[in-house]
Amino acid sequence: MANVVHKLSESEIQDLLQHITFETSQLPPGMKARTKYNQAVINIYNSGKVMFQGKNAEAVAQQLLSGHSTSSTKPTTSQQSSDQTLAYNHFNCIGSDEAGSGDYFGPLTVCAAYVSKEHIQILKTLGVDDSKKLSDQKIIELAEQLITFIPHSLLTLDNPKYNDRQAIGWSQVKMKAVLHNEAIKNVTQKIDCNDLDYIVIDQFAVRGVYQRYALSALPYPDKTKFETKGESKSLAIAAASIISRYAFVKHMDHISHKMKQVIPKGASNKVDLIAAQIIDKHGIETLDAISKKHFKNRDKAQHLVTKKYQ
């Protein structure tokens, strides 16, 4: 199935909306309008990008957007980079990654995403990259496009559940292994696994540790690979990274709104100060409900509060 993406101006989008009938209600976040036209699906995003999908994608794009250059998803034959074990972007892959593991505040989010060979060029056109290199605004923009056409599974371990697991002896590595494996299994239920070439996991533990902690068998162990710095080696991992980061950012925004103050990411001294303020205003129970209790930030925040009243 071909995929074509164009970046249009607002006036060009309005011309397109007037040319054919679009659905504009009950759409996924980030999507402005959607329709089916001449055996092609057309998605218009708030970012100004328009995606054409289907066997007639290129013909419909040329018909409706005469004068625009076409960016299609036909595979390229670029050389494998020297630091890659496999050129994953030449294969159909499920990638998985997580967000929030190094942040005191907020949940742990894990995503697995299936990226076919046909999707590779469109992800490059959209600007999919390592989420660590992207701003939160760009993460949101990309994720709200990716979730409309990339088969994926997003799992969130909120702070109360995270703290419960930690209290019964689960390490963070075990939590991640369980979530990654469940998300991957969920995605295998959404695709034709006869087409699946590899499952590639952004490595946070060696294979033996992952298998021991995952609580259930790997879906396709012979196809499963572990890669350090996986976002730079597989666009499937990069897509999963962006979606998991998107979920984490949204949860952090919700916490900030609930607490009526900006809640910082990470685990810096600034985080200690905000945590101390929350203890002072709302109590330690409120802090624990939105944070990971085993982080040292908790003790540092309590020390700051004690020092204040000495």
Side-chain angles (χ1 to χ4, degrees):
M1 182 178 71
N3 296 277
V4 178
V5 175
H6 292 278
K7 174 71 173 178
L8 303 185
S9 68
E10 183 58 30
S11 62
E12 290 169 330
I13 288 175
Q14 291 304 317
D15 287 343
L16 182 58
L17 289 171
Q18 293 173 13
H19 188 77
I20 56 177
T21 302
F22 280 83
E23 175 62 48
T24 57
S25 61
Q26 298 182 331
L27 299 174
M31 186 178 288
K32 188 182 189 74
R34 176 169 57 191
T35 193
K36 289 185 178 179
Y37 180 78
N38 287 355
Q39 297 183 320
V41 175
I42 307 172
N43 295 327
I44 302 177
Y45 297 97
N46 292 334
S47 64
K49 290 176 181 174
V50 180
M51 181 187 300
F52 297 80
Q53 295 175 287
K55 61 181 181 181
N56 288 339
E58 293 189 26
V60 170
Q62 290 175 359
Q63 175 189 347
L64 297 177
L65 306 176
S66 57
H68 287 273
S69 60
T70 299
S71 298
S72 67
T73 61
K74 293 180 179 179
T76 60
T77 55
S78 58
Q79 293 294 317
Q80 178 178 337
S81 62
S82 59
D83 63 341
Q84 287 184 217
T85 304
L86 288 165
Y88 292 107
N89 293 341
H90 293 289
F91 298 95
N92 301 319
C93 294
I94 294 175
S96 67
D97 202 359
E98 78 283 335
S101 61
D103 299 86
Y104 174 58
F105 288 109
L108 177 63
T109 59
V110 172
C111 180
Y114 175 68
V115 174
S116 66
K117 291 179 287 188
E118 289 74 19
H119 283 140
I120 291 298
Q121 191 57 43
I122 197 167
L123 264 59
K124 291 180 179 179
T125 301
L126 290 173
V128 171
D129 200 348
D130 181 355
S131 67
K132 298 179 183 65
K133 300 177 182 178
L134 303 173
S135 67
D136 285 351
Q137 181 178 355
K138 186 64 174 178
I139 289 286
I140 292 170
E141 175 189 317
L142 284 172
E144 290 182 343
Q145 296 172 71
L146 293 175
I147 61 178
T148 65
F149 68 96
I150 294 293
H152 68 282
S153 173
L154 175 64
L155 301 178
T156 299
L157 191 64
D158 65 22
N159 292 113
K161 291 179 181 177
Y162 179 103
N163 292 330
D164 285 346
R165 298 299 187 278
Q166 201 275 330
I168 63 173
W170 283 33
S171 67
Q172 194 180 82
V173 171
K174 183 178 180 67
M175 297 181 208
K176 289 196 283 189
V178 170
L179 291 172
H180 274 257
N181 214 45
E182 287 303 308
I184 290 167
K185 287 195 295 183
N186 290 344
V187 174
T188 63
Q189 301 302 311
K190 299 180 180 183
I191 65 173
D192 183 352
C193 289
N194 291 321
D195 297 329
L196 178 64
D197 295 312
Y198 293 106
I199 296 169
V200 55
I201 300 168
D202 192 51
Q203 184 169 317
F204 55 87
V206 297
R207 186 186 188 96
V209 171
Y210 178 97
Q211 291 181 166
R212 186 168 70 251
Y213 282 160
L215 295 184
S216 59
L218 277 63
Y220 293 91
D222 293 342
K223 296 182 178 182
T224 301
K225 306 291 182 180
F226 295 80
E227 292 287 350
T228 57
K229 299 180 179 179
E231 303 98 323
S232 63
K233 300 176 182 178
S234 164
L235 281 176
I237 290 182
S241 176
I242 286 169
I243 297 171
S244 62
R245 186 67 183 175
Y246 165 77
F248 178 77
V249 168
K250 285 295 187 179
H251 276 279
M252 289 294 285
D253 288 345
H254 174 73
I255 293 172
S256 294
H257 179 73
K258 180 180 178 181
M259 301 309 300
K260 298 180 180 178
Q261 67 181 110
V262 176
I263 302 299
K265 302 177 182 68
S268 65
N269 292 337
K270 182 180 180 181
V271 170
D272 301 339
L273 293 172
I274 297 299
Q277 292 174 15
I278 292 173
I279 294 173
D280 198 26
K281 293 179 182 178
H282 306 287
I284 190 68
E285 294 82 7
T286 297
L287 176 65
D288 289 343
I290 58 173
S291 64
K292 303 175 181 74
K293 289 174 63 174
H294 67 103
F295 275 46
K296 293 181 180 179
N297 302 87
R298 187 178 190 266
D299 292 336
K300 293 177 181 178
Q302 287 181 304
H303 177 72
L304 289 172
V305 174
T306 300
K307 187 176 179 181
K308 177 182 177 180
Y309 291 102
Q310 283 180 341

